[in-house]
Amino acid sequence: MTCCGGNVAGEQVAGTSRELTRLARAEELSRQGVRQPDGSVHFTLSSPSIHCGGCISIIERNLAKLPGVREVRVNLTLKRISVLLESDAVPVLNVVEALEGFGYQAYPLNDAPDENDKKAASELLRALAVAGFAAMNVMLLSVSTWSGADGATRDLFHLISALIAIPAVAYSGRIFFRSAWSALRGGHLNMDVPISLAVLLAVGMSLYETLNHGQEAYFDAAVSLLFFLLIGRYLDQMMRDRARNAVIGLSRLAVKGANTVGPDGKTVYRPIDEIEPGMRIRVLPGERIPVDGVIVKGSSDLDLSLVTGENQPAILGKGDALQAGTYNLTGPLDIEVLRPASQSFLAEVSTMLAAAEKGRGHYMRIADRMAQIYAPAVHLLALVAFLVWMAINGDWHQALYVAISVLIITCPCALGLAVPVVHVVAAARLFEEGILVRDGSALERMAEIDHAVFDKTGTLTHAIPQIVRAPFSSVRHEQMAYSLAVLSSHPASRALVQHLGERAVLPLDDVREVAGCGIEALAGGKRVRLGNQAWVAKIAKGEVPDRASSGISFAEEGGGLIHCEIRERVREDAGAAIRELEADGIAAELLSGDKPGPVEAIAKKLGLQRWMAEQKPADKIARIEALKEQGARPLMIGDGLNDAPSLAAGYASMAPASASDIGRAAADFVFTRDGIDAVPFTFRLSRFAGRLVRQNFGLAILYNCIAVPLAFLGLVTPLFAAIAMSLSSIVVVTNSLRLSRFGVRKRRNATMREDRRTGHAIGNQAT
């Protein structure tokens, strides 16, 4: 009785311990969630056991069925799972436990994913070394057998081969066996199931022949199969690492903490999560900027290549804005924090790069559907091959031999990699050129555009124009206009801030920005407006002259209208970029909210035949919709708050990094470089990426069309099947990596021409 009582108590303790562990894990996971504005919660999990398109299909299809799960996306290259839950009332632990039930381990993203990757690579390398050693020795014994050894000698060689091969298969094959067992335990099939089946059948068949003094044994095929499979998987791992280097490298730029400056001037080091807007931090030479902010003290040379793509350092000082991830080269800087690290430019770029595989475009849906039918089809095909060969000659050895070859050669690795690797390499190449892509489907849509619609201010012209005339009659009006302008991100407002210089900001109430019009507020009980002339004139007193010049107007309710004239500077490469698009068959036009005079002047200067002035946001959307109704696929390029709706309405869209937050969020692509040549470059790269995806599909289909019939006819050995399968994956990944060199030669030639021109100019100056 004592014994039984003791067992019950022990079970209760064990049960309580498991429950406590589960609660602790649920608490740890729930802290990783990021609450969205609509109340949903986003989680990112790391799952190193994701291998192929079949894994993506299994995870996304099954997790989407769980109650409370709104969206699931799997990133094959980064081996991450993005899960959006309806609310924080839905426990994320249910999702993780369901994943484990399907055979996939999942961890919070902060649990050292790099360490998991290093362990996986190290395990692969050790398994490869053991399999290679065994394959060489077993192959030497096999050569002796093939050379004529028979009788007791042959049996001895087979026995020695078994002693070498069986431990090697158990050690090196555990990577495939573990994955296959996890999949089977979860009630589904993955590509490691047929591989494991083929290896075990080959070893089992060889052991049977050895113990029964048979003529043939296939230990050489089993260990060589593992050896070539591991070579293929290790190369695949290396190439994927290369493909995702941009994402990983970017995450390493994130600073862990910063020195905050207190009111007494003392500095205190704080973790990055504790750095909040309004704090003052000190960044010394040789340190990276930890968060977005503005310089309040000091000046320094800064490496802004992460933001602008330019390697030449820039000299920045008081009042200049800085983005997280840029590098302080020479002098100490005091910076006022504008945004927390989670909302910084660096965080935004990292999110966009990691999302390159998220979109489910046309090609990705094709790959998903093919991956879904792979496992049942390959097992059925192997069974049919076995039955057919048994019916033809009744030799179960030959029938099993053929079935093993069919199992190995039909692995869909090449198909699973056809789309995601291209998308990741394209995102990395675009990032090198200062262009960020929202997701993979954006690349497909960009490749299909046939029309480009440009906004004017901040897009074809520089983000900040120049104020050439500001006829303010009183300091009070200047201060009011300044106080409104600092609250707006519109280029004209920023130009006015630059023109008026730093001054005190007046208290304003009921501030609101009206898209396409301007910004207004209450000052001293009266409305004040800053924006386009027609809108501002509605609160002004007196007659408003009809002005053809571009500019920004200010008025206090009941007062006179003050019109500040602006001179816009056209981007130096805007004309060349438009001509490049037209050479590729892309029609271009200009839509602007500005007056007809300045719009026509810019259009003529850039050679645009079609332009429309005084376009409000609704007018721009109407034009985009009209183009779509005519069968066109328009690309919208804009930057302002008023462009956000038309950016969202475009078939594809681009915005400069200087665009409003809403404009950047609505765009498929954001370019941080100063030149508008980012538009034709992105179009051509997207078109090339689409071509590579189609080539990859063709290579995968061609491989299966040739290899499967040969295996079915018994013309392919398991050893050759393993080599062919591994080569097909390597060919697809290598073909995709061609994208990483896209446009490099052209950029290098342009740089050399610029260097020669600069050197020539300096030489002339010296002379």
Side-chain angles (χ1 to χ4, degrees):
M1 183 174 178
T2 305
C3 177
C4 293
N7 285 341
V8 169
E11 288 172 4
Q12 285 176 340
V13 170
T16 305
S17 175
R18 280 196 297 273
E19 187 59 28
L20 287 174
T21 304
R22 190 171 182 274
L23 287 173
R25 193 180 182 200
E27 176 66 22
E28 181 192 7
L29 286 167
S30 64
R31 289 178 187 166
Q32 307 296 323
V34 178
R35 183 184 287 276
Q36 306 297 306
D38 62 354
S40 59
V41 186
H42 180 260
F43 290 89
T44 303
L45 303 169
S46 171
S47 182
S49 47
I50 297 172
H51 290 303
C52 62
C55 298
I56 295 175
S57 175
I58 290 165
I59 293 171
E60 292 188 350
R61 193 174 63 247
N62 288 291
L63 286 190
K65 295 176 184 173
L66 295 178
V69 175
R70 184 184 292 180
E71 184 180 278
V72 183
R73 285 287 178 266
V74 177
N75 188 315
L76 178 64
T77 308
L78 295 178
K79 298 190 175 183
R80 291 178 185 174
I81 305 168
S82 167
V83 182
L84 187 65
L85 301 181
E86 295 282 357
S87 69
D88 55 7
V90 182
V92 67
L93 185 60
N94 290 355
V95 174
V96 173
E97 290 179 342
L99 271 171
E100 290 171 349
F102 305 143
Y104 298 95
Q105 294 296 317
Y107 310 95
L109 192 58
N110 290 338
D111 277 6
D114 285 352
E115 287 302 316
N116 288 331
D117 290 340
K118 287 177 184 173
K119 285 180 184 175
S122 176
E123 184 183 21
L124 268 175
L125 199 57
R126 287 197 302 273
L128 177 61
V130 171
F133 173 80
M136 282 190 295
N137 287 280
V138 173
M139 196 60 75
L140 283 174
L141 294 167
S142 297
V143 169
S144 303
T145 306
W146 300 335
S147 301
D150 57 3
T153 306
R154 181 195 62 211
D155 291 346
L156 179 62
F157 285 170
H158 282 174
L159 190 60
I160 296 173
S161 297
L163 291 174
I164 297 173
I166 291 174
V169 167
Y171 181 81
S172 300
R174 62 195 170 126
I175 293 169
F176 304 97
F177 303 151
R178 192 167 55 221
S179 171
W181 173 244
S182 296
L184 292 173
R185 198 174 53 183
H188 60 85
L189 300 170
N190 66 10
M191 70 179 190
D192 288 335
V193 174
I195 289 171
S196 302
L197 192 58
V199 172
L200 292 175
L201 282 173
V203 172
M205 192 173 167
S206 303
L207 192 59
Y208 174 84
E209 292 290 333
T210 301
L211 296 177
N212 290 281
H213 310 287
Q215 297 285 331
E216 300 286 345
Y218 309 105
F219 291 117
D220 54 349
V223 291
S224 300
L225 168 61
L226 274 180
F227 179 57
F228 286 111
L229 283 170
L230 287 166
I231 288 176
R233 190 157 287 191
Y234 186 70
L235 289 175
D236 177 48
Q237 172 98 9
M238 287 176 59
M239 289 183 177
R240 288 193 207 195
D241 285 347
R242 183 179 165 187
R244 60 181 172 160
N245 267 347
V247 183
I248 294 171
L250 201 60
S251 65
R252 287 175 181 158
L253 297 182
V255 179
K256 304 298 181 189
N259 288 309
T260 57
V261 183
D264 56 357
K266 292 184 178 177
T267 58
V268 178
Y269 183 82
R270 294 178 188 275
I272 195 69
D273 293 341
E274 296 181 10
I275 306 297
E276 297 177 352
M279 285 184 170
R280 187 166 173 166
I281 60 173
R282 182 162 296 162
V283 181
L284 300 175
E287 293 181 348
R288 288 199 179 275
I289 308 300
V291 290
D292 292 356
V294 61
I295 299 173
V296 292
K297 183 181 176 185
S299 64
S300 176
D301 294 304
L302 286 115
D303 178 359
L304 304 179
S305 55
L306 178 70
V307 178
T308 63
E310 298 296 332
N311 294 321
Q312 192 68 24
I315 302 172
L316 299 182
K318 187 177 179 182
D320 290 323
L322 287 175
Q323 283 80 28
T326 51
Y327 194 66
N328 184 16
L329 295 171
T330 53
L333 295 172
D334 279 8
I335 299 169
E336 184 180 331
V337 178
L338 293 179
R339 280 182 284 273
S342 59
Q343 299 172 16
S344 69
F345 172 80
L346 188 62
E348 184 182 359
V349 173
S350 299
T351 303
M352 292 183 76
L353 271 178
E357 286 186 36
K358 278 187 179 177
R360 282 292 182 266
H362 176 63
Y363 297 131
M364 205 66 199
R365 287 194 293 273
I366 291 175
D368 284 353
R369 280 199 291 272
M370 296 177 81
Q372 283 178 20
I373 62 173
Y374 155 72
V378 70
H379 286 91
L380 183 63
L381 191 63
L383 178 63
V384 170
F386 179 80
L387 295 175
V388 168
W389 277 87
M390 280 294 288
I392 291 174
N393 59 13
D395 183 355
W396 70 270
H397 292 80
Q398 180 68 16
L400 193 57
Y401 186 80
V402 172
I404 291 171
S405 299
V406 171
L407 278 173
I408 296 168
I409 213 161
T410 49
C411 181
C413 297
L415 190 62
L417 294 170
V419 182
V421 175
V422 170
H423 284 176
V424 170
V425 177
R429 181 71 190 101
L430 286 171
F431 174 66
E432 288 174 0
E433 293 293 329
I435 303 161
L436 309 174
V437 57
R438 179 73 53 192
D439 59 41
S441 66
L443 286 167
E444 291 184 19
R445 284 183 278 112
M446 174 60 91
E448 296 170 353
I449 63 158
D450 53 14
H451 205 99
V453 179
F454 288 92
D455 171 52
K456 179 176 68 71
T457 306
T459 305
L460 290 176
T461 63
H462 282 283
I464 303 179
Q466 184 180 9
I467 299 282
V468 293
R469 182 169 173 270
F472 288 100
S473 56
S474 70
V475 175
R476 182 169 169 273
H477 281 160
E478 281 187 359
Q479 282 188 305
M480 280 186 184
Y482 178 85
S483 303
L484 283 169
V486 293
L487 298 174
S488 172
S489 60
H490 193 280
S493 297
R494 291 160 63 188
L496 187 61
V497 169
Q498 272 193 357
H499 179 78
L500 295 176
E502 190 174 352
R503 58 185 63 207
V505 177
L506 298 177
L508 299 172
D509 299 318
D510 197 19
V511 178
R512 70 187 187 102
E513 192 160 6
V514 181
C517 296
I519 185 168
E520 74 169 6
L522 287 175
K526 286 187 176 181
R527 275 190 298 167
V528 287
R529 284 183 174 179
L530 180 72
N532 75 48
Q533 181 176 290
W535 181 67
V536 173
K538 292 178 181 176
I539 65 167
K541 181 183 176 183
E543 192 173 337
V544 178
D546 184 22
R547 296 178 186 276
S549 64
S550 180
I552 184 169
S553 299
F554 167 81
E556 183 178 12
E557 191 170 13
L561 185 139
I562 301 166
H563 184 75
C564 304
E565 293 182 13
I566 283 177
R567 180 189 297 154
E568 292 187 294
R569 295 175 295 132
V570 177
R571 291 182 192 263
E572 291 74 12
D573 62 348
I578 289 170
R579 286 192 292 277
E580 278 191 57
L581 286 173
E582 290 175 341
D584 287 330
I586 309 296
E589 64 178 86
L590 172 59
L591 297 184
S592 174
D594 206 348
K595 293 183 173 300
V599 177
E600 184 180 13
I602 295 285
K604 280 186 177 176
K605 186 170 185 176
L606 297 177
L608 287 167
Q609 299 299 318
R610 185 179 178 85
W611 56 269
M612 299 171 76
E614 298 182 333
Q615 296 289 293
K616 289 191 166 58
D619 301 324
K620 292 184 179 180
I621 292 177
R623 174 60 185 158
I624 296 282
E625 294 299 335
L627 286 169
K628 285 183 177 177
E629 287 176 7
Q630 294 167 14
R633 293 171 173 172
L635 166 71
M636 177 67 201
I637 309 109
D639 73 318
L641 177 66
N642 57 332
D643 292 322
S646 48
L647 286 168
Y651 186 74
S653 53
M654 291 188 76
S658 57
S660 64
D661 292 345
I662 297 175
R664 289 204 308 272
D668 293 318
F669 298 86
V670 175
F671 54 96
T672 60
R673 58 204 277 182
D674 196 42
I676 198 74
D677 61 339
V679 178
F681 179 84
T682 305
F683 168 66
R684 288 175 176 172
L685 183 137
S686 300
R687 198 170 52 178
F688 186 50
R691 213 157 47 229
L692 287 181
V693 168
R694 290 191 292 276
Q695 287 175 6
N696 285 348
F697 275 137
L699 288 169
I701 292 170
L702 180 66
Y703 159 76
N704 280 289
C705 287
I706 296 173
V708 174
L710 291 176
F712 199 94
L713 293 171
L715 301 175
V716 175
T717 65
L719 179 60
F720 182 82
I723 297 171
M725 189 273 290
S726 299
L727 282 178
S728 69
S729 301
I730 294 169
V731 166
V732 163
V733 175
T734 305
N735 189 48
S736 305
L737 287 175
R738 289 166 55 205
L739 200 55
S740 64
R741 303 293 302 162
F742 182 84
V744 171
R745 182 182 296 176
K746 182 179 177 183
R747 185 176 177 81
R748 188 168 57 233
N749 291 340
T751 305
M752 288 172 64
R753 282 197 299 273
E754 180 63 21
D755 289 346
R756 279 199 297 269
R757 188 185 65 79
T758 309
H760 183 68
I762 292 172
N764 287 341
Q765 211 170 28
T767 304

